[in-house]
Amino acid sequence: MRLMTFIHDGVTQAGVRCENAVIPLSRLSPDLPDDLKSLLQQGLLADTRSALDEFTGEGVPLEEIQYEVLIPQPGKFACIGRNYAAHAAEGGADVPTFPEVFFRGATSLLPHQGAIIRPQCSEMLDFEGEIAFVIGKRCRHASEENALEFVAGYSLFHDATLRDYQKASSQWTVGKNFDGTGAFGPELVTADELPDGAAGLILTTHLNGELMQEGNTDHLIFSVRRLIAILSEAMTLEPGDVVSTGTPSGVGFARTPPVWLKPGDIVDIEVPGIGKLSNTVEEESV
């Protein structure tokens, strides 16, 4: 299934995308909640699939909806830095021996087709295309062997970063949390539709049509399995929590001259089987 969060007639709700339409969960069954986080917390993915199999009505055409952040208020949104060796190298860093974990706040998130905001205080806005996974079941002390049992599905994330603010401190939090810099979506593709652990998937980032990044998830330093095992040693992963797995090489700061995002740019992050996350860039207005 391909689940999404959207706005229609002024109402934010969740649904299942089928070809060029989305079927609101409320149309599938009155027993389903109207948001993805609650759907996962209540363990209703299987019920949603069953209701979809029996559904004979019509959905809402995609051209009539506005995309919303896939999970607008995740309990945790963890990001993994330098998880591709080539990306670590282009930044002059050694290959990590333990995941470099930081967190994203909800106000930094924006949806597919939304505008990434370049703030007034910096022009060093960089692109980072990533694959993210969403937790579907409560998880603590998982093993690598059973880790994938806790994954509801996969999506795309754009970890746009203010490099000067990131590098101003040993902690990356500020540079990674400017409002409107983390695009997330457009859909949650359930794990059964993809290879185990999202293995062997090709991620590309295009800037104004030009290929900037290309990476294969087989080259992740810490796989999805390993990340879940390590993170769940420290914290309880809960339904609706998100983990973004890191970006491949080719980012803007490592180029000569550097390539920074500017107003009017269009960034497309794509993974076959998951979809395409597209966003424009706008200047902050205060």
Side-chain angles (χ1 to χ4, degrees), residues 53-71:
D53 290 341
E54 299 176 1
F55 184 73
T56 58
E58 296 183 353
V60 179
L62 292 181
E63 59 266 24
E64 296 181 11
I65 65 103
Q66 176 184 340
Y67 287 88
E68 182 54 279
V69 175
L70 185 61
I71 299 177

Side-chain angles (χ1 to χ4, degrees), residues 1-6 13-17 22-40 44-45 47-49 51-52 55:
M1 288 188 299
R2 309 183 76 91
L3 299 154
M4 56 185 289
T5 301
F6 63 99
Q13 55 193 304
V16 181
R17 201 265 289 172
V22 56
I23 305 169
L25 295 182
S26 59
R27 293 190 189 181
L28 286 179
S29 169
D31 298 325
L32 295 176
D34 58 6
D35 69 283
L36 293 186
K37 187 175 178 180
S38 295
L39 186 79
L40 297 174
L44 295 175
L45 277 182
D47 296 71
T48 303
R49 186 174 287 105
L52 181 63
F55 184 73

Side-chain angles (χ1 to χ4, degrees), residues 70-114:
L70 185 61
I71 299 177
Q73 296 287 334
K76 290 184 282 296
F77 198 118
C79 301
I80 311 301
R82 296 171 178 157
N83 201 18
Y84 288 83
H87 176 53
E90 71 180 352
D94 294 332
V95 174
T97 58
F98 190 85
E100 298 187 348
V101 183
F102 59 93
F103 285 82
R104 277 272 187 172
T107 59
S108 76
L109 303 179
L110 70 145
H112 171 62
Q113 296 182 351

Side-chain angles (χ1 to χ4, degrees), residues 146-212:
N146 70 3
L148 297 185
E149 298 175 9
F150 302 98
V151 177
Y154 298 85
S155 191
L156 301 175
F157 183 59
H158 185 174
D159 185 29
T161 303
L162 277 300
R163 294 297 185 193
D164 46 354
Y165 280 81
Q166 179 190 11
K167 294 180 180 181
S169 166
S170 62
Q171 303 297 314
W172 299 354
T173 301
V174 173
K176 297 285 191 174
N177 274 279
F178 274 72
D179 285 352
T181 56
F184 180 33
E187 299 170 342
L188 174 65
V189 181
T190 52
D192 59 298
E193 295 200 6
L194 294 166
D196 285 350
L201 298 182
I202 303 295
L203 179 147
T204 57
T205 302
H206 285 81
L207 174 58
N208 300 323
E210 179 181 354
L211 178 65
M212 306 300 280

